[in-house]
Amino acid sequence: MFKPRKLAPLVGVATLALLALPRANAHELQVVSTFSIISDFAKNVGGDRVSLVTLVGPDGDAHSYEPRPADAIAVGKADVVLANGLHFEGFLGRLMQATGGKAPVIELAKGARLLRNVEEGHDDHDHDHDHDHDHDHDQDHDHDHEHDHAKERSHDHAHGHGQPKEQDHAHDHSHAGAHSHHHHGEYDPHAWQSVSNAQVYVNNIAEAFCAADEAGCQSYRANARSYGEMLQALESEIRATMAQIPSSQRTVITSHDAFAYLGREYGLRFLAPHGVSTESEASAAGVASLIRQVKDQKVSAIFLENISNPRLVRQIASETGLKVGGKLYSDALSAPDGPAATYIDMMRHNINTIRDAALGR
Ligand SMILES: [Zn+2]
């Protein structure tokens, strides 16, 4: 007997089964990555052994991301979840709780050379709000020693220019209450903006994949090694490009403090109206202070960011006469047809854009 009332749910199930079919390859490691930059590393390490779902896609802002139901489903099915950590993905804790997923969350910044979060705590005023990053800046790098090698020179160079100690002059702390709704960690989370840190992320991914898929381990490690060679070539290229910029022209402005690692590694100084999170409010006093710094300190260029609202950057540019030098990719790659579709292209694009603007090209 035909029972039309029972048909609808069956059709629903059949449709779901069909949708699930293309992914049902039991040989592929199911990987969820929180944002596009990590996904690029994961593709390079995993090759065709992994099936990858990216939560925050190209040009997306992980700081303010709100997960969708599809994200919970992907995380629930994952063998491995790759994340930056350091409180970059504010949504991740909630998402993991909601899914009850059993996949390990691998925090890729683990073992990277980190910068302490200097957004707050460098101020002439006392503030008694309970932030956990009110640190002595002389200890910014006290955990660096086991990793220090050739970077030391540029590191010192950056310090000599006050980076990143003074970059939060631009921040006005009267808005401190606005921070209470989200959490900033002890460290600046944007560690991938250092190529040597990117290598740490890549190695961490290889080990996470090895732990989840022993049969593929040799291939993961070999992929990580060959991608590492490309990262080394990128590092040399960046240093050669940076060498073209005179030291007096190495202070630039971006929208939020996403580039302190780039600054540390390659001797640039970044100022920003927003803090280390795009959710940090910029205040009028902070912007005014930044404009004064532009006038006093010979800031050589100002840039838009792919993930940030351009309004303040345009305002500062128009009030100071500084020409907007292009767009930098901070926390996300571009779409595949854009100039920063991979990590290596992103770093190359950013550093060339900075060089060209700093030199007035
Ligand atoms: Zn950011």
Side-chain angles (χ1 to χ4, degrees), residues 38 41-42 45 82-84 86 106-114 144 146-149 151 191-209 224-225 227-229 231-232 235 261 264-265 343:
I38 286 178
F41 296 150
V45 174
L82 302 176
N84 185 74
L86 307 176
I106 311 298
E107 299 204 342
L108 299 177
K110 196 171 182 199
R113 288 177 68 220
L114 299 180
D144 284 343
E146 77 255 39
H147 299 293
D148 277 345
H149 40 87
K151 302 298 183 307
W192 60 85
Q193 289 288 347
S194 146
V195 175
S196 60
N197 279 347
Q199 180 69 64
V200 174
Y201 282 45
V202 165
N203 294 345
N204 285 342
I205 291 171
E207 292 316 301
F209 287 179
R225 270 194 303 275
Y227 185 68
E229 286 166 16
L231 290 179
Q232 280 180 8
E235 175 87 3
Y261 289 92
R264 177 188 71 183
E265 298 293 344
Y343 174 78

Side-chain angles (χ1 to χ4, degrees), residues 63 88 190 256 258 276-278 307 331:
H63 292 292
F88 178 63
H190 305 89
H256 87 294
V276 292
S277 171
T278 52
I307 66 154
D331 298 15

